């Protein structure tokens, strides 16, 4: 392979990918390694931290072999966010399973924090609502529930980090313990105003300060690779960024206004903002990325079950290939036949932030079929995205009218058309299947001078497919009202619940 390339690693929940990006910003090689995820009935979700590293190393080695000696100019990393790894500082070995962003093991602690009245101060400092999604309560749970681990951590023998930090540590053979500002802002430990770890949050979650990594720029030299297996020595690691943030870079969005939605296992909607302030408490304030000493802020809404709801239907129907089977079933009917699936299996994220909600199916009749349930799972993705989009409109009235879309589930054109119909505005789908990796590559290329500016990156952004709304206003309003009623019923936690709606009260 001729010329300088950027190797971008995208470590996700269900796949670890790596790509080579040439000087024109085009992906010229791609490899993917599937990942295992362990889920438990009590809401725990785990991965083996060594599996995350092994898959990443395999992907990097494959890219290195394809590129040829001396042609990889830098490595960029994008990663699943909030997932946290704890490891021994001396041996570099994990001391517990990687706790995945979907995991709900710290739900009781989060309920207690809210009951204690600490949520307003947490949100004012970190920009984040109290929820088991974020890393801090996961770390606290591991320290309290792993024999001897808290004592080891307090003695300075344990490191913590999100997946970017873990991979950087392994790639540098333990010489660098760092995380970028975008990933750090998802831990619930970062002070959003200046991008530094907040002592008050560390005390609240009882996390020793010695555990946390250094916070570095999303685009800038972080370290260099050690010779590990077939990974070449001396390659600069020049970017690290959360996958949802990286997708914004991949779209070429570097200014406030546009909103993007990444459709993956979960979903993330994000729009850039001029400052860290926001009017809505239902949306997270976060660091989009950092570069040259400055922080770019964003508003975000997180959806826990997006593509995972389709996977759930396939698993529920005991299909050999769950996702493929569910998509085939969904495409065999024109609508859900009145069936509504609210995929709150792990609670509801933005804009509801209801960790007590659980998945529910409504509208079943004698003529309902498995195909209607599968179609309802597809519709649930689009409705949840519409919920967050509408909340963003209320918070940022001047935002652009179209939605930028990316991620694996966005390849479903039926979903994209439905999304446009429910929003009543265009959806612009990226034609690149590896947009987060492309974004990480862009930031790495900026850091080493391969590209000169955000404007140059924007000029190289992949083409987009456009979906225009076809649904009438009346039909759209009916579908949205049916969805809202289903969510309302799902959030009703029993007699005496403060979530009982006026309509529900009148029926009692």
């Amino acid at each position: 392979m001729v010329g300088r390339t950027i190797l971008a690693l995208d470590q996700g929940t269900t796949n670890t990918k790596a790509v080579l990006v040439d000087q024109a910003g085009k992906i010229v090689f791609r490899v993917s390694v599937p990942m295992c995820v362990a889920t438990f009935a009590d809401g725990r979700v785990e991965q083996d931290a060594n599996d995350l590293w092994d898959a990443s190393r395999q992907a990097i080695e494959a890219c290195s072999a394809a590129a040829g000696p001396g042609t990889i100019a830098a490595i960029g990393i994008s990663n699943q966010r909030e997932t946290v790894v704890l490891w021994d500082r001396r041996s570099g070995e994990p001391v517990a399973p990687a706790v995945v962003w979907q995991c709900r093991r710290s739900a009781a602690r989060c309920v207690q924090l809210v009951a204690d009245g600490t949520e307003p101060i947490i949100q004012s400092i970190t920009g984040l609502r109290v929820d088991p999604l974020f890393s801090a309560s996961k770390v606290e749970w591991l320290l309290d529930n792993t024999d001897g681990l808290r004592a080891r951590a307090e003695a300075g023998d344990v490191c913590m980090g999100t997946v970017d930090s873990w991979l950087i540590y392994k790639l540098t053979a333990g010489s660098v313990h760092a995380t970028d500002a975008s990933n750090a802002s998802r831990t619930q430990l970062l002070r959003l105003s200046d991008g530094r770890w907040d002592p008050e949050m560390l005390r609240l979650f009882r996390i020793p300060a010695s555990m946390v990594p250094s916070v570095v720029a999303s685009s800038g030299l972080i370290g260099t690779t050690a010779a590990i297996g077939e990974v070449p020595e001396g390659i600069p690691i020049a970017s690290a960024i959360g996958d949802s943030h990286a997708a914004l870079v991949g779209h070429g969005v570097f200014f406030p206004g546009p909103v993007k939605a990444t459709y993956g296992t979960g979903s993330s909607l994000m729009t850039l903002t001029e400052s860290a302030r926001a009017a809505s408490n239902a949306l997270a304030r976060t660091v989009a990325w950092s570069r040259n000493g400055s922080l770019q802020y964003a508003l975000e809404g997180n959806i826990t079950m997006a593509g995972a709801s389709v996977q759930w239907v396939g698993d529920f129907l005991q299909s050999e290939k769950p996702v493929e089977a569910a998509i085939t079933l969904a495409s065999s009917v024109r609508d859900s036949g009145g069936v509504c699936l609210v995929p709150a299996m792990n609670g509801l994220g933005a804009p509801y932030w209801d960790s007590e909600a659980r998945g529910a199916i409504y509208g079943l009749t004698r003529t309902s079929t498995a195909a209607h349930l599968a179609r309802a799972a597809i519709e649930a993705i689009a409705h949840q995205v519409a919920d967050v989009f509408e909340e963003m409109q209320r918070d940022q009235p001047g935002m652009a009218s179209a939605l930028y879309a990316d991620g694996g589930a966005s390849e479903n054109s039926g979903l994209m058309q439905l999304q446009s119909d429910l929003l009543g505005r265009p959806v612009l789908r990226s034609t690149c299947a590896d947009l987060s990796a492309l974004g990480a590559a862009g930031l790495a290329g900026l850091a080493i001078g391969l590209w000169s500016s955000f404007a140059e990156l924007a000029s190289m952004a992949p083409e987009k497919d456009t979906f225009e709304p076809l649904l009438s206003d009346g039909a759209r309003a009916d579908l949205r009202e049916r969805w809202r009623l289903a969510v309302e019923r799902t959030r009703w936690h029993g007699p005496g619940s403060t979530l009982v709606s006026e309509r529900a009260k009148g029926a009692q």
Side-chain angles (χ1 to χ4, degrees):
M1 191 172 290
V2 179
R4 301 174 78 198
T5 60
I6 302 292
L7 191 164
L9 178 68
D10 181 20
Q11 201 299 300
T13 313
T14 55
N15 292 280
T16 296
K17 305 174 186 177
V19 302
L20 292 173
V21 179
D22 67 13
Q23 288 180 261
K26 305 297 183 185
I27 293 175
V28 294
F29 181 79
R30 177 183 186 275
V31 63
S32 181
V33 180
M35 303 302 304
C36 293
V37 183
T39 59
F40 302 89
D42 62 0
R44 287 179 297 133
V45 186
E46 299 177 350
Q47 290 182 295
D48 186 316
N50 280 326
D51 286 350
L52 302 181
W53 162 237
D54 289 342
S56 299
R57 180 180 49 78
Q58 292 172 37
I60 291 170
E61 288 175 347
C63 283
S64 178
T71 61
I72 297 175
I75 290 175
I77 297 171
S78 74
N79 58 279
Q80 57 170 307
R81 304 173 308 157
E82 296 100 18
T83 297
V84 69
V85 181
L86 273 58
W87 65 93
D88 183 274
R89 190 179 300 278
R90 295 182 180 84
S91 70
E93 288 299 310
V95 296
V99 181
V100 176
W101 56 275
Q102 294 170 305
C103 186
R104 312 302 289 181
R105 70 183 65 201
S106 60
R109 169 61 166 154
C110 290
V111 169
Q112 186 62 54
L113 287 168
V114 173
D116 290 344
T118 58
E119 186 170 50
I121 186 64
I122 292 173
Q123 192 168 16
S124 69
I125 293 171
T126 70
L128 306 175
R129 295 283 295 268
V130 173
D131 192 86
L133 168 69
F134 304 114
S135 309
S137 62
K138 302 179 192 296
V139 175
E140 184 183 39
W141 190 98
L142 287 173
L143 293 179
D144 287 340
N145 292 276
T146 307
D147 286 345
L149 191 55
R150 179 166 290 283
R152 292 171 64 187
E154 291 174 350
D157 296 334
V158 178
C159 296
M160 67 155 280
T162 44
V163 171
D164 63 316
S165 184
W166 169 239
L167 297 180
I168 290 165
Y169 190 90
K170 299 299 282 187
L171 282 169
T172 61
S175 65
V176 179
H177 182 206
T179 187
D180 99 287
S182 73
N183 278 291
S185 73
R186 308 301 297 173
T187 63
Q188 210 150 54
L189 298 172
L190 193 79
R191 190 165 57 233
L192 203 60
S193 61
D194 61 6
R196 298 176 183 273
W197 298 120
D198 186 77
E200 187 174 355
M201 291 298 100
L202 290 169
R203 285 193 297 271
L204 178 65
F205 288 100
R206 300 163 52 242
I207 297 173
S210 61
M211 293 181 68
V212 298
S214 301
V215 181
V216 299
S218 310
S219 177
L221 182 62
I222 300 170
T224 57
T225 59
I228 303 167
E230 299 302 317
V231 176
E233 184 178 10
I235 300 176
I237 302 169
S239 75
I241 185 170
D243 52 8
S244 185
H245 315 245
L248 265 180
V249 178
H251 277 295
V253 173
F254 301 108
F255 53 89
V259 180
K260 73 90 201 173
T262 298
Y263 296 78
T265 305
S267 187
S268 159
L269 278 76
M270 190 176 288
T271 185
L272 299 180
T273 58
E274 297 287 356
S275 72
R277 294 187 298 274
S280 174
N281 286 329
L283 299 172
R285 293 173 291 135
T286 192
V287 174
W289 56 73
S290 59
R291 181 171 180 258
N292 293 336
S294 65
L295 300 172
Q296 171 62 63
Y297 295 105
L299 280 182
E300 183 176 13
N302 302 101
I303 297 164
T304 304
M305 294 279 286
S309 63
V310 179
Q311 168 92 33
W312 178 86
V313 169
D315 288 335
F316 183 76
L317 297 174
Q318 299 183 328
S319 303
E320 185 175 343
K321 295 183 177 179
V323 174
E324 294 88 337
I327 290 173
T328 299
L329 278 171
S331 63
S332 70
V333 291
R334 59 183 298 178
D335 56 44
S336 66
V339 176
C340 190
L341 168 66
V342 182
M345 292 71 167
N346 296 104
L348 287 170
Y352 307 104
W353 297 108
D354 185 352
S355 62
E356 294 183 60
R358 289 295 176 264
I361 303 169
Y362 300 98
L364 292 174
T365 68
R366 289 290 296 272
T367 59
S368 299
T369 67
H372 292 123
L373 178 60
R375 171 71 184 193
I378 299 289
E379 292 181 359
I381 299 172
H383 277 296
Q384 290 180 101
V385 168
D387 288 344
V388 176
F389 190 93
E390 291 166 3
E391 186 69 26
M392 284 185 167
Q393 277 187 302
R394 287 186 283 270
D395 193 280
Q396 304 283 313
M399 75 186 202
S401 59
L403 176 72
Y404 289 68
D406 64 88
S410 73
E411 296 175 17
N412 185 327
S413 293
L415 170 59
M416 294 295 96
Q417 183 58 57
L418 176 63
Q419 190 69 79
S420 178
D421 288 340
L422 292 181
L423 292 176
R425 59 193 65 224
V427 170
L428 308 178
R429 177 181 65 187
S430 176
T431 56
C432 177
D434 299 296
L435 207 63
S436 292
L438 194 63
L443 293 181
L446 280 180
I448 64 167
L450 188 63
W451 300 300
S452 61
S453 65
F454 282 149
E456 186 175 3
L457 291 186
S459 72
M460 298 188 298
E463 294 181 354
K464 296 173 175 62
D465 299 321
T466 302
F467 297 84
E468 298 283 353
L470 302 176
L471 207 60
S472 69
D473 290 344
R476 179 182 308 113
D478 288 345
L479 288 174
R480 293 293 289 143
E481 176 59 23
R482 187 176 71 190
W483 168 258
R484 291 187 187 103
L485 180 58
V487 171
E488 192 175 69
R489 288 170 170 167
T490 301
R491 297 187 69 205
W492 183 70
H493 300 147
S497 170
T498 58
L499 297 174
V500 179
S501 70
E502 291 305 315
R503 183 180 303 178
K505 287 177 182 176
Q508 291 176 353

